[in-house]
Amino acid sequence: MRKHVLLVDGMALLFRAYYSTAMMNNFMINSQGLPTNAIHGFTRHLLTAIDTFNPTHVISCWDMGSHTFRNDLFPDYKANRSAPPENLVPQFDRVKEMTSAMDIPNVGIPGYEADDCIGTLASHYQDEADVTILTGDQDILQLLDDHVRVALLKKGYGNYDTYEAPRFIEEKGITPKQMIELKAMMGDTSDHYPGVRGIGEKTALKLLIQHGSLDAILNNLDTLTKAQRTKFEADLDMVHLSRQLAEIRCDAGVSCDLNEALYQPEREKVIAKFNEFEFKRLGERI
């Protein structure tokens, strides 16, 4: 039987879980004074996805600090992000205790984002396994491949917008890898890099479909409208830099032996961690 690996964007799940409850001032402080709302929501998301996709192996990927190689390339990368909320900070390390209790490896490497870890592992595994990536970040759609699909979290638990490469190509008119060049042109307000100022998604997509690649566009600027050519010429350095920022690296230097990621949690160990965090109703899910 072919293996099926679930790669979890731990940061995406944790932040989503935190904000979905924090908006209602539900911080779930346990008897030790530890806020646990994000850990609890993360665990619910994780267990629900495992029930839904039935993977044979599970790995959770994490950011390891806020500074990455992208900040070295562009100091303003993600500069618009505020510091994490005070009640979330103590949950960053404790949530990994939960995944460890479930015998799910935690993977991360300083200087890279969780996305880069996911990209690297997906590229390693896809020859021998089907890979499902669980995230809320559409940037990861660039990793879609023959044996790699993406499940985007939607509102609530158990609701996913699941993409495989053919669906992406049909909807967008470009390949998943071309999403890197699309973002290089249109920029990313969330990650705080501009791309080509004045070129939005609609124009960038049209040009990419018409010319086939960003390099082809740049080599044929004289075929663009005067306004478009002026915008590209003003931001030539930035569009090349934005391409580097947009690309999820698949050579981040992380690895995880799939034998260590086999999903066979020991119920007693998981229940003990649930009890420690005072999660009374999750035990029946294991």
Side-chain angles (χ1 to χ4, degrees), residues 101-278:
M102 297 170 69
D103 292 326
I104 295 174
N106 292 301
V107 173
I109 184 171
Y112 292 90
E113 298 179 47
D115 287 1
D116 302 307
C117 298
I118 290 170
T120 300
L121 295 179
S123 68
H124 284 171
Y125 300 145
Q126 62 180 334
D127 287 341
E128 62 174 309
D130 294 319
V131 177
T132 298
I133 299 170
L134 179 66
T135 184
D137 185 358
Q138 294 201 21
D139 290 352
I140 281 187
L141 292 174
Q142 66 182 261
L143 298 176
L144 290 167
D145 212 331
D146 289 344
H147 292 289
V148 179
R149 66 177 173 176
V150 173
L152 295 172
L153 293 161
K154 298 176 69 177
K155 188 174 182 180
Y157 291 91
N159 299 316
Y160 310 101
D161 194 7
T162 304
Y163 272 86
E164 296 182 358
R167 177 190 167 191
F168 180 92
I169 294 167
E170 182 179 352
E171 288 186 6
K172 296 288 190 181
I174 58 175
T175 67
K177 287 292 185 188
Q178 286 179 303
M179 187 176 175
I180 300 167
E181 300 189 331
L182 179 68
K183 293 200 65 181
M185 289 184 278
M186 61 182 275
D188 188 319
T189 54
S190 175
D191 288 340
H192 203 244
Y193 60 87
V196 180
R197 288 166 292 185
I199 298 292
E201 180 176 8
K202 185 177 179 180
T203 299
L205 189 59
K206 180 181 177 182
L207 291 173
L208 196 52
I209 293 172
Q210 180 180 346
H211 292 269
S213 72
L214 176 57
D215 287 337
I217 295 169
L218 298 178
N219 289 332
N220 293 278
L221 290 179
D222 58 334
T223 67
L224 307 186
T225 67
K226 183 178 179 181
Q228 291 169 350
R229 184 169 67 251
T230 299
K231 291 169 184 174
F232 273 93
E233 288 174 344
D235 273 330
L236 278 179
D237 289 340
M238 182 51 70
V239 75
H240 288 297
L241 177 58
S242 294
R243 176 161 49 184
Q244 292 179 272
L245 299 174
E247 182 175 9
I248 292 174
R249 296 285 293 271
C250 294
D251 57 353
V254 294
S255 62
C256 179
D257 189 328
L258 280 183
N259 291 325
E260 298 176 8
L262 189 65
Y263 186 67
Q264 292 181 333
E266 297 178 27
R267 178 175 170 78
E268 294 76 14
K269 186 165 67 171
V270 179
I271 294 298
K273 185 58 66 173
F274 284 171
N275 290 338
E276 179 185 335
F277 284 130
E278 300 171 17

